[in-house]
Amino acid sequence: MSKTRILLIEDEENIASFVAMYLKKDGFEVDTAATGARGLELAAREQPQAVILDLMLPDMDGFDVCRRLRRDSDVPVIMLTARDAATDKVVGLELGADDYITKPFDPRELVARVKSVLRRVQGRGQAGGGVKLMAGELTLDPDRHEVAIAGEPVKMTAKEFDLLHYLLTNRGLALSRQQLLEHVWGYDFLGDTRTVDVHINQVRKKIAGAAEIETVWGMGYKLK
Ligand code: CA
């Protein structure tokens, strides 16, 4: 079996080599890029299974890198944020990042996050068991990993897809934010429930007109 490839986009040499060392020790193949441009080039060429992306890069903003990555890939992205700024996290998640970690961090913690993101992505194919899920004109195909409205494909990030999948599986049921966090992000996710709200808003916009995600006051959400 070939090794799982991780792309690390980080210009700080000491952090990059430190993180790469930990990932390699855990059996991952690691490509490192010190600029956003180089990172995008490697992402296209090497097709990594996950990307670790620093927000502060010399040539471009990490958000721009994420936006460009998302144009043609739903590879899981973990962002490295230097500040503990909530807005950075929300913007990152809105752009399709799957998780974030604040510097300074323990590299073992980052490796755990990478594994958790990969587990969720890899488990995704089996979860649906080939059963297409539908709500009105909205369809979700777990095997092909596709969402469509009246046959027209809708582009979703990995996390948005997982979230919609879980909502469709539990259609009509009120789901708490905590429950969504645990099932969609995994029990080991350390973010807060605001992450759920950000993703719900994204999914809501994308499926508007076809299906409605209702806010259950004081509790969570429900797909009608
Ligand atoms: Ca940096």
Side-chain angles (χ1 to χ4, degrees), residues 165-216:
H165 186 268
Y166 190 70
L167 285 165
L168 278 166
T169 311
N170 296 284
R171 186 138 75 107
L173 298 177
L175 305 164
S176 71
R177 288 179 176 82
Q178 195 55 41
Q179 201 175 346
L180 289 166
L181 256 192
E182 288 175 3
H183 286 272
V184 179
W185 278 264
Y187 291 88
D188 42 2
F189 182 74
L190 297 178
D192 53 40
T193 51
R194 182 165 32 192
T195 303
V196 176
D197 300 333
V198 171
H199 280 84
I200 284 280
N201 283 333
Q202 296 293 110
V203 173
R204 219 175 226 163
K205 278 183 223 155
K206 292 188 180 181
I207 65 170
E212 195 189 328
I213 300 172
E214 203 179 79
T215 301
V216 183

Short mmCIF file of all heavy atoms in Angstrom, two decimals, residues 165-216:
data_model
loop_
_atom_site.label_atom_id
_atom_site.label_comp_id
_atom_site.label_asym_id
_atom_site.label_seq_id
_atom_site.Cartn_x
_atom_site.Cartn_y
_atom_site.Cartn_z
N HIS A 165 -25.12 14.99 4.62
CA HIS A 165 -25.36 13.54 4.67
C HIS A 165 -26.00 13.16 6.00
O HIS A 165 -26.98 12.43 6.06
CB HIS A 165 -24.03 12.80 4.47
CG HIS A 165 -24.18 11.32 4.37
ND1 HIS A 165 -24.08 10.48 5.45
CD2 HIS A 165 -24.44 10.53 3.31
CE1 HIS A 165 -24.28 9.23 5.06
NE2 HIS A 165 -24.49 9.23 3.77
N TYR A 166 -25.44 13.69 7.07
CA TYR A 166 -25.96 13.36 8.40
C TYR A 166 -27.37 13.94 8.60
O TYR A 166 -28.25 13.29 9.16
CB TYR A 166 -25.01 13.88 9.49
CG TYR A 166 -25.36 13.36 10.86
CD1 TYR A 166 -25.17 12.03 11.18
CD2 TYR A 166 -25.92 14.20 11.82
CE1 TYR A 166 -25.53 11.53 12.43
CE2 TYR A 166 -26.27 13.72 13.06
CZ TYR A 166 -26.07 12.39 13.37
OH TYR A 166 -26.43 11.90 14.60
N LEU A 167 -27.59 15.15 8.10
CA LEU A 167 -28.92 15.78 8.22
C LEU A 167 -29.96 14.98 7.43
O LEU A 167 -31.07 14.76 7.89
CB LEU A 167 -28.87 17.22 7.70
CG LEU A 167 -28.20 18.25 8.61
CD1 LEU A 167 -27.89 19.52 7.82
CD2 LEU A 167 -29.08 18.60 9.81
N LEU A 168 -29.58 14.54 6.24
CA LEU A 168 -30.51 13.77 5.40
C LEU A 168 -30.82 12.41 6.02
O LEU A 168 -31.95 11.93 5.96
CB LEU A 168 -29.93 13.59 4.00
CG LEU A 168 -30.12 14.75 3.03
CD1 LEU A 168 -29.22 14.60 1.82
CD2 LEU A 168 -31.57 14.85 2.57
N THR A 169 -29.79 11.79 6.60
CA THR A 169 -29.98 10.50 7.24
C THR A 169 -30.96 10.61 8.41
O THR A 169 -31.66 9.67 8.73
CB THR A 169 -28.62 9.95 7.74
OG1 THR A 169 -27.69 10.06 6.68
CG2 THR A 169 -28.70 8.50 8.17
N ASN A 170 -30.95 11.77 9.03
CA ASN A 170 -31.81 12.00 10.19
C ASN A 170 -32.89 13.02 9.90
O ASN A 170 -33.24 13.86 10.75
CB ASN A 170 -30.97 12.46 11.38
CG ASN A 170 -29.98 11.40 11.80
OD1 ASN A 170 -30.35 10.43 12.42
ND2 ASN A 170 -28.73 11.58 11.41
N ARG A 171 -33.39 12.99 8.71
CA ARG A 171 -34.37 13.98 8.26
C ARG A 171 -35.57 14.05 9.20
O ARG A 171 -36.08 13.03 9.64
CB ARG A 171 -34.86 13.61 6.86
CG ARG A 171 -35.76 14.62 6.25
CD ARG A 171 -35.42 14.83 4.80
NE ARG A 171 -35.89 13.71 3.99
CZ ARG A 171 -36.95 13.79 3.18
NH1 ARG A 171 -37.65 14.91 3.11
NH2 ARG A 171 -37.31 12.78 2.45
N GLY A 172 -35.97 15.28 9.50
CA GLY A 172 -37.14 15.47 10.34
C GLY A 172 -36.84 15.45 11.83
O GLY A 172 -37.68 15.79 12.64
N LEU A 173 -35.62 15.06 12.17
CA LEU A 173 -35.26 15.01 13.59
C LEU A 173 -34.49 16.27 13.98
O LEU A 173 -33.67 16.76 13.21
CB LEU A 173 -34.37 13.79 13.88
CG LEU A 173 -34.96 12.40 13.61
CD1 LEU A 173 -33.90 11.34 13.89
CD2 LEU A 173 -36.18 12.17 14.50
N ALA A 174 -34.75 16.76 15.17
CA ALA A 174 -34.00 17.90 15.67
C ALA A 174 -32.66 17.37 16.19
O ALA A 174 -32.61 16.46 16.99
CB ALA A 174 -34.77 18.59 16.78
N LEU A 175 -31.58 17.96 15.67
CA LEU A 175 -30.24 17.50 16.06
C LEU A 175 -29.53 18.64 16.79
O LEU A 175 -29.49 19.76 16.28
CB LEU A 175 -29.45 17.10 14.81
CG LEU A 175 -30.13 16.05 13.91
CD1 LEU A 175 -29.48 16.02 12.54
CD2 LEU A 175 -30.06 14.66 14.56
N SER A 176 -28.95 18.33 17.92
CA SER A 176 -28.26 19.37 18.67
C SER A 176 -26.91 19.66 18.03
O SER A 176 -26.35 18.83 17.30
CB SER A 176 -28.06 18.94 20.13
OG SER A 176 -27.09 17.93 20.20
N ARG A 177 -26.40 20.86 18.30
CA ARG A 177 -25.08 21.22 17.76
C ARG A 177 -24.01 20.24 18.24
O ARG A 177 -23.11 19.87 17.51
CB ARG A 177 -24.72 22.64 18.22
CG ARG A 177 -25.52 23.70 17.54
CD ARG A 177 -25.15 25.08 18.04
NE ARG A 177 -25.87 26.12 17.31
CZ ARG A 177 -27.11 26.47 17.59
NH1 ARG A 177 -27.77 25.89 18.58
NH2 ARG A 177 -27.71 27.41 16.88
N GLN A 178 -24.13 19.85 19.49
CA GLN A 178 -23.15 18.92 20.06
C GLN A 178 -23.18 17.58 19.31
O GLN A 178 -22.15 17.01 18.97
CB GLN A 178 -23.48 18.70 21.55
CG GLN A 178 -22.36 18.05 22.33
CD GLN A 178 -21.05 18.83 22.21
OE1 GLN A 178 -21.04 20.04 22.25
NE2 GLN A 178 -19.94 18.11 22.04
N GLN A 179 -24.39 17.14 19.04
CA GLN A 179 -24.58 15.88 18.32
C GLN A 179 -23.98 15.98 16.90
O GLN A 179 -23.30 15.06 16.45
CB GLN A 179 -26.09 15.68 18.19
CG GLN A 179 -26.55 14.27 17.95
CD GLN A 179 -28.09 14.22 17.99
OE1 GLN A 179 -28.74 15.16 18.45
NE2 GLN A 179 -28.66 13.14 17.51
N LEU A 180 -24.20 17.11 16.25
CA LEU A 180 -23.65 17.30 14.91
C LEU A 180 -22.13 17.34 14.97
O LEU A 180 -21.45 16.75 14.13
CB LEU A 180 -24.20 18.59 14.29
CG LEU A 180 -25.69 18.53 13.91
CD1 LEU A 180 -26.23 19.93 13.63
CD2 LEU A 180 -25.91 17.64 12.70
N LEU A 181 -21.60 18.03 15.98
CA LEU A 181 -20.15 18.10 16.15
C LEU A 181 -19.56 16.70 16.28
O LEU A 181 -18.57 16.36 15.66
CB LEU A 181 -19.80 18.89 17.41
CG LEU A 181 -19.28 20.31 17.31
CD1 LEU A 181 -18.75 20.74 18.65
CD2 LEU A 181 -18.21 20.46 16.25
N GLU A 182 -20.20 15.90 17.13
CA GLU A 182 -19.67 14.57 17.40
C GLU A 182 -19.75 13.64 16.20
O GLU A 182 -18.84 12.89 15.92
CB GLU A 182 -20.42 13.96 18.59
CG GLU A 182 -20.02 14.62 19.89
CD GLU A 182 -20.81 14.14 21.10
OE1 GLU A 182 -21.66 13.23 20.94
OE2 GLU A 182 -20.58 14.68 22.18
N HIS A 183 -20.87 13.72 15.48
CA HIS A 183 -21.03 12.80 14.37
C HIS A 183 -20.33 13.23 13.10
O HIS A 183 -19.84 12.41 12.34
CB HIS A 183 -22.52 12.56 14.09
CG HIS A 183 -23.15 11.68 15.11
ND1 HIS A 183 -23.16 10.30 15.00
CD2 HIS A 183 -23.74 11.96 16.28
CE1 HIS A 183 -23.76 9.80 16.06
NE2 HIS A 183 -24.12 10.78 16.86
N VAL A 184 -20.32 14.54 12.86
CA VAL A 184 -19.76 15.01 11.60
C VAL A 184 -18.28 15.36 11.73
O VAL A 184 -17.49 15.10 10.83
CB VAL A 184 -20.57 16.21 11.06
CG1 VAL A 184 -19.99 16.74 9.76
CG2 VAL A 184 -22.04 15.82 10.87
N TRP A 185 -17.91 15.92 12.88
CA TRP A 185 -16.50 16.32 13.06
C TRP A 185 -15.70 15.28 13.83
O TRP A 185 -14.49 15.28 13.81
CB TRP A 185 -16.43 17.67 13.77
CG TRP A 185 -16.61 18.82 12.83
CD1 TRP A 185 -15.61 19.55 12.24
CD2 TRP A 185 -17.84 19.36 12.34
NE1 TRP A 185 -16.16 20.51 11.43
CE2 TRP A 185 -17.51 20.42 11.46
CE3 TRP A 185 -19.19 19.04 12.55
CZ2 TRP A 185 -18.48 21.16 10.79
CZ3 TRP A 185 -20.15 19.80 11.88
CH2 TRP A 185 -19.80 20.83 11.02
N GLY A 186 -16.38 14.41 14.52
CA GLY A 186 -15.67 13.39 15.28
C GLY A 186 -15.52 13.79 16.73
O GLY A 186 -15.46 14.97 17.06
N TYR A 187 -15.48 12.82 17.58
CA TYR A 187 -15.44 13.07 19.02
C TYR A 187 -14.17 13.80 19.45
O TYR A 187 -14.13 14.45 20.47
CB TYR A 187 -15.55 11.75 19.80
CG TYR A 187 -16.91 11.14 19.68
CD1 TYR A 187 -17.21 10.28 18.64
CD2 TYR A 187 -17.91 11.45 20.59
CE1 TYR A 187 -18.47 9.73 18.50
CE2 TYR A 187 -19.17 10.93 20.46
CZ TYR A 187 -19.46 10.06 19.42
OH TYR A 187 -20.69 9.55 19.28
N ASP A 188 -13.14 13.66 18.63
CA ASP A 188 -11.86 14.26 19.02
C ASP A 188 -11.67 15.69 18.50
O ASP A 188 -10.64 16.29 18.67
CB ASP A 188 -10.69 13.37 18.59
CG ASP A 188 -10.90 12.81 17.20
OD1 ASP A 188 -11.92 13.14 16.56
OD2 ASP A 188 -10.04 12.02 16.76
N PHE A 189 -12.70 16.23 17.87
CA PHE A 189 -12.59 17.60 17.37
C PHE A 189 -12.63 18.58 18.54
O PHE A 189 -13.47 18.47 19.42
CB PHE A 189 -13.74 17.89 16.40
CG PHE A 189 -13.68 19.26 15.78
CD1 PHE A 189 -12.76 19.54 14.78
CD2 PHE A 189 -14.55 20.26 16.18
CE1 PHE A 189 -12.71 20.80 14.20
CE2 PHE A 189 -14.50 21.52 15.61
CZ PHE A 189 -13.57 21.78 14.62
N LEU A 190 -11.71 19.56 18.53
CA LEU A 190 -11.62 20.45 19.68
C LEU A 190 -12.27 21.80 19.46
O LEU A 190 -12.26 22.65 20.32
CB LEU A 190 -10.15 20.63 20.07
CG LEU A 190 -9.46 19.34 20.52
CD1 LEU A 190 -8.01 19.61 20.85
CD2 LEU A 190 -10.16 18.75 21.73
N GLY A 191 -12.83 22.00 18.27
CA GLY A 191 -13.46 23.29 17.99
C GLY A 191 -14.74 23.45 18.78
O GLY A 191 -15.13 22.57 19.53
N ASP A 192 -15.38 24.62 18.60
CA ASP A 192 -16.62 24.82 19.35
C ASP A 192 -17.83 24.72 18.43
O ASP A 192 -17.70 24.53 17.23
CB ASP A 192 -16.58 26.15 20.11
CG ASP A 192 -16.24 27.31 19.20
OD1 ASP A 192 -16.74 27.32 18.06
OD2 ASP A 192 -15.46 28.18 19.61
N THR A 193 -19.01 24.87 19.02
CA THR A 193 -20.24 24.65 18.25
C THR A 193 -20.48 25.73 17.21
O THR A 193 -21.31 25.55 16.34
CB THR A 193 -21.46 24.56 19.20
OG1 THR A 193 -21.43 25.69 20.06
CG2 THR A 193 -21.42 23.29 20.03
N ARG A 194 -19.74 26.84 17.29
CA ARG A 194 -19.89 27.88 16.26
C ARG A 194 -19.48 27.31 14.89
O ARG A 194 -19.99 27.73 13.85
CB ARG A 194 -19.00 29.07 16.61
CG ARG A 194 -19.15 30.18 15.61
CD ARG A 194 -18.60 31.46 16.12
NE ARG A 194 -17.46 31.19 17.01
CZ ARG A 194 -16.93 32.12 17.78
NH1 ARG A 194 -17.43 33.31 17.79
NH2 ARG A 194 -15.91 31.83 18.54
N THR A 195 -18.56 26.37 14.92
CA THR A 195 -18.14 25.68 13.70
C THR A 195 -19.36 25.09 12.99
O THR A 195 -19.49 25.16 11.78
CB THR A 195 -17.18 24.53 14.09
OG1 THR A 195 -16.10 25.10 14.80
CG2 THR A 195 -16.66 23.80 12.88
N VAL A 196 -20.26 24.51 13.77
CA VAL A 196 -21.47 23.90 13.22
C VAL A 196 -22.31 24.97 12.54
O VAL A 196 -22.75 24.80 11.39
CB VAL A 196 -22.29 23.20 14.32
CG1 VAL A 196 -23.60 22.66 13.76
CG2 VAL A 196 -21.49 22.07 14.97
N ASP A 197 -22.50 26.10 13.22
CA ASP A 197 -23.32 27.18 12.66
C ASP A 197 -22.77 27.69 11.33
O ASP A 197 -23.52 27.93 10.39
CB ASP A 197 -23.41 28.36 13.66
CG ASP A 197 -24.03 27.93 14.99
OD1 ASP A 197 -24.81 26.96 14.98
OD2 ASP A 197 -23.73 28.55 16.01
N VAL A 198 -21.44 27.84 11.28
CA VAL A 198 -20.81 28.33 10.06
C VAL A 198 -21.09 27.37 8.90
O VAL A 198 -21.50 27.78 7.81
CB VAL A 198 -19.29 28.51 10.26
CG1 VAL A 198 -18.61 28.79 8.93
CG2 VAL A 198 -19.01 29.62 11.24
N HIS A 199 -20.91 26.10 9.15
CA HIS A 199 -21.13 25.11 8.08
C HIS A 199 -22.61 24.97 7.71
O HIS A 199 -22.93 24.79 6.54
CB HIS A 199 -20.55 23.76 8.48
CG HIS A 199 -19.07 23.69 8.29
ND1 HIS A 199 -18.17 24.15 9.22
CD2 HIS A 199 -18.34 23.24 7.25
CE1 HIS A 199 -16.95 23.98 8.75
NE2 HIS A 199 -17.02 23.43 7.56
N ILE A 200 -23.46 25.06 8.71
CA ILE A 200 -24.90 24.98 8.42
C ILE A 200 -25.29 26.12 7.47
O ILE A 200 -25.99 25.91 6.49
CB ILE A 200 -25.74 25.07 9.73
CG1 ILE A 200 -25.69 23.76 10.51
CG2 ILE A 200 -27.18 25.49 9.44
CD1 ILE A 200 -26.61 22.66 10.02
N ASN A 201 -24.76 27.33 7.74
CA ASN A 201 -25.08 28.47 6.88
C ASN A 201 -24.62 28.25 5.45
O ASN A 201 -25.31 28.61 4.50
CB ASN A 201 -24.47 29.75 7.44
CG ASN A 201 -25.29 30.27 8.62
OD1 ASN A 201 -26.49 30.00 8.71
ND2 ASN A 201 -24.64 30.97 9.52
N GLN A 202 -23.44 27.66 5.32
CA GLN A 202 -22.92 27.38 3.97
C GLN A 202 -23.83 26.39 3.24
O GLN A 202 -24.18 26.60 2.09
CB GLN A 202 -21.51 26.77 4.07
CG GLN A 202 -20.48 27.70 4.65
CD GLN A 202 -20.20 28.86 3.74
OE1 GLN A 202 -20.57 29.98 4.05
NE2 GLN A 202 -19.57 28.60 2.61
N VAL A 203 -24.18 25.30 3.94
CA VAL A 203 -25.01 24.26 3.32
C VAL A 203 -26.39 24.85 2.98
O VAL A 203 -26.93 24.62 1.91
CB VAL A 203 -25.16 23.04 4.25
CG1 VAL A 203 -26.15 22.03 3.68
CG2 VAL A 203 -23.81 22.37 4.47
N ARG A 204 -26.91 25.64 3.90
CA ARG A 204 -28.21 26.27 3.70
C ARG A 204 -28.25 27.07 2.40
O ARG A 204 -29.18 26.96 1.63
CB ARG A 204 -28.41 27.23 4.87
CG ARG A 204 -29.82 27.26 5.39
CD ARG A 204 -29.88 28.14 6.60
NE ARG A 204 -30.61 27.52 7.68
CZ ARG A 204 -30.54 27.90 8.94
NH1 ARG A 204 -29.71 28.86 9.29
NH2 ARG A 204 -31.25 27.29 9.85
N LYS A 205 -27.19 27.87 2.19
CA LYS A 205 -27.13 28.69 0.97
C LYS A 205 -27.11 27.80 -0.27
O LYS A 205 -27.75 28.07 -1.26
CB LYS A 205 -25.85 29.54 0.98
CG LYS A 205 -25.99 30.81 1.79
CD LYS A 205 -24.70 31.63 1.68
CE LYS A 205 -24.30 32.18 3.03
NZ LYS A 205 -22.86 32.46 3.14
N LYS A 206 -26.35 26.71 -0.17
CA LYS A 206 -26.18 25.87 -1.35
C LYS A 206 -27.41 25.06 -1.72
O LYS A 206 -27.60 24.71 -2.86
CB LYS A 206 -24.97 24.95 -1.15
CG LYS A 206 -23.67 25.73 -1.13
CD LYS A 206 -22.47 24.84 -1.12
CE LYS A 206 -21.21 25.70 -1.11
NZ LYS A 206 -19.98 24.89 -1.12
N ILE A 207 -28.22 24.73 -0.72
CA ILE A 207 -29.40 23.92 -1.04
C ILE A 207 -30.69 24.76 -1.03
O ILE A 207 -31.78 24.22 -1.13
CB ILE A 207 -29.55 22.71 -0.08
CG1 ILE A 207 -29.82 23.16 1.37
CG2 ILE A 207 -28.33 21.80 -0.15
CD1 ILE A 207 -30.22 22.02 2.29
N ALA A 208 -30.51 26.08 -0.91
CA ALA A 208 -31.69 26.97 -0.84
C ALA A 208 -32.63 26.72 -2.01
O ALA A 208 -32.20 26.56 -3.14
CB ALA A 208 -31.22 28.43 -0.85
N GLY A 209 -33.90 26.67 -1.71
CA GLY A 209 -34.88 26.44 -2.76
C GLY A 209 -35.26 24.97 -2.91
O GLY A 209 -36.36 24.64 -3.30
N ALA A 210 -34.32 24.08 -2.53
CA ALA A 210 -34.59 22.64 -2.68
C ALA A 210 -34.97 22.00 -1.35
O ALA A 210 -35.88 21.18 -1.28
CB ALA A 210 -33.38 21.94 -3.28
N ALA A 211 -34.27 22.36 -0.31
CA ALA A 211 -34.56 21.81 1.01
C ALA A 211 -34.23 22.86 2.06
O ALA A 211 -33.38 23.72 1.83
CB ALA A 211 -33.73 20.55 1.25
N GLU A 212 -34.89 22.77 3.17
CA GLU A 212 -34.73 23.80 4.19
C GLU A 212 -34.16 23.23 5.48
O GLU A 212 -34.63 22.21 5.98
CB GLU A 212 -36.08 24.46 4.47
CG GLU A 212 -35.96 25.76 5.22
CD GLU A 212 -37.33 26.26 5.69
OE1 GLU A 212 -38.32 26.01 4.98
OE2 GLU A 212 -37.39 26.88 6.76
N ILE A 213 -33.13 23.90 5.99
CA ILE A 213 -32.60 23.51 7.29
C ILE A 213 -33.18 24.48 8.31
O ILE A 213 -32.93 25.69 8.25
CB ILE A 213 -31.06 23.57 7.34
CG1 ILE A 213 -30.46 22.63 6.29
CG2 ILE A 213 -30.55 23.18 8.73
CD1 ILE A 213 -28.95 22.78 6.13
N GLU A 214 -33.97 23.94 9.20
CA GLU A 214 -34.66 24.76 10.17
C GLU A 214 -33.80 24.91 11.42
O GLU A 214 -33.17 23.96 11.85
CB GLU A 214 -35.95 24.03 10.53
CG GLU A 214 -37.05 24.88 11.09
CD GLU A 214 -38.27 24.02 11.37
OE1 GLU A 214 -38.29 23.34 12.41
OE2 GLU A 214 -39.18 24.00 10.53
N THR A 215 -33.80 26.10 12.01
CA THR A 215 -33.11 26.29 13.29
C THR A 215 -34.08 25.91 14.39
O THR A 215 -35.19 26.41 14.44
CB THR A 215 -32.67 27.76 13.46
OG1 THR A 215 -31.82 28.10 12.38
CG2 THR A 215 -31.92 27.95 14.77
N VAL A 216 -33.66 24.99 15.23
CA VAL A 216 -34.50 24.61 16.37
C VAL A 216 -34.01 25.45 17.54
O VAL A 216 -32.89 25.23 18.03
CB VAL A 216 -34.39 23.10 16.67
CG1 VAL A 216 -35.31 22.71 17.81
CG2 VAL A 216 -34.69 22.28 15.43
#
